[in-house]
């Protein structure tokens, strides 16, 4: 397993630009989403199917606000190189859901949803050396339990 010093970022210049732009996007839209959670989602008259879906999410009473808070935190963490790999993983479920949302519901927002997911996917590729230990096989030595014996869980 590479040590922290040996973990590198692929395409470092591109990763830096994408990381900063993606962080700004997450913070900005996160604050906006928290505003929707507090003030309500603006709908047209009559509400479209998309508006009805968003109103149903709003009626949960908490989902929209917490999604916005998570986006804001992930965006904030992305400004710091040390916390960027964690922030990318935090943003992945959101970006995947937005991709599905714009493909199946809100086609007019494809111009936002696809680059949003693409930025997250590119950053995962660029920071993959940081995630490599997650996919590593079992250690070669014996594993000891809390009592010092072998064959622990």
């Amino acid at each position: 397993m590479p040590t922290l010093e040996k973990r590198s970022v692929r395409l470092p210049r591109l990763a830096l630009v994408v990381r900063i732009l993606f962080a700004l996007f997450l913070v900005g839209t996160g604050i906006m989403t928290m505003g929707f959670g507090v003030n309500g989602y603006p709908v047209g008259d009559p509400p479209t199917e998309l508006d009805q879906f968003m109103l149903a999410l709003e009626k949960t009473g908490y989902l929209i606000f917490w999604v916005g808070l998570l986006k804001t935190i992930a965006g904030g963490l992305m400004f710091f190189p040390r916390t960027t790999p964690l922030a990318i993983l935090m943003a992945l479920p959101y970006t995947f859901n937005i991709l599905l949302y714009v493909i199946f519901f809100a086609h007019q927002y494809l111009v936002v949803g696809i680059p949003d997911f693409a930025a997250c996917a590119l950053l995962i590729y660029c920071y993959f050396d940081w995630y490599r230990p997650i996919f590593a096989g079992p250690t070669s030595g014996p594993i000891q339990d809390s009592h010092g014996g072998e064959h622990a869980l």
Side-chain angles (χ1 to χ4, degrees):
M1 175 173 79
T3 62
L4 289 177
E5 293 81 29
K6 293 187 180 183
R7 292 182 185 169
S8 62
V9 177
R10 298 173 186 160
L11 307 169
R13 289 184 182 149
L14 178 63
L16 176 67
V17 170
V18 171
R19 177 173 62 96
I20 298 300
L21 290 175
F22 191 47
L24 290 170
F25 174 79
L26 286 174
V27 169
T29 59
I31 292 170
M32 180 184 71
T33 304
M34 284 191 299
F36 289 156
V38 172
N39 301 324
Y41 187 79
V43 295
D45 188 35
T48 64
E49 289 179 2
L50 176 62
D51 292 337
Q52 291 172 357
F53 176 76
M54 293 307 293
L55 287 173
L57 288 178
E58 183 182 327
K59 286 181 184 177
T60 63
Y62 64 92
L63 184 63
I64 296 295
F65 177 81
W66 291 109
V67 167
L69 183 64
L70 179 72
K71 286 168 48 176
T72 305
I73 291 170
L77 289 173
M78 209 169 286
F79 285 114
F80 305 102
R82 185 179 182 102
T83 57
T84 295
L86 173 64
I88 295 167
L89 289 182
M90 288 173 64
L92 181 62
Y94 155 75
T95 59
F96 184 69
N97 276 302
I98 288 300
L99 180 67
L100 294 177
Y101 174 74
V102 299
I103 288 173
F104 294 114
F105 289 114
H107 306 293
Q108 68 268 27
Y109 298 115
L110 281 169
V111 71
V112 175
I114 291 175
D116 183 31
F117 180 77
C120 191
L122 176 69
L123 288 172
I124 287 173
Y125 169 76
C126 291
Y127 283 86
F128 194 76
D129 286 346
W130 290 83
Y131 308 125
R132 192 174 302 279
I134 297 171
F135 304 107
T139 59
S140 58
I143 301 173
Q144 295 187 357
D145 65 11
S146 61
H147 301 292
E150 294 183 6
H151 310 296
L153 295 176

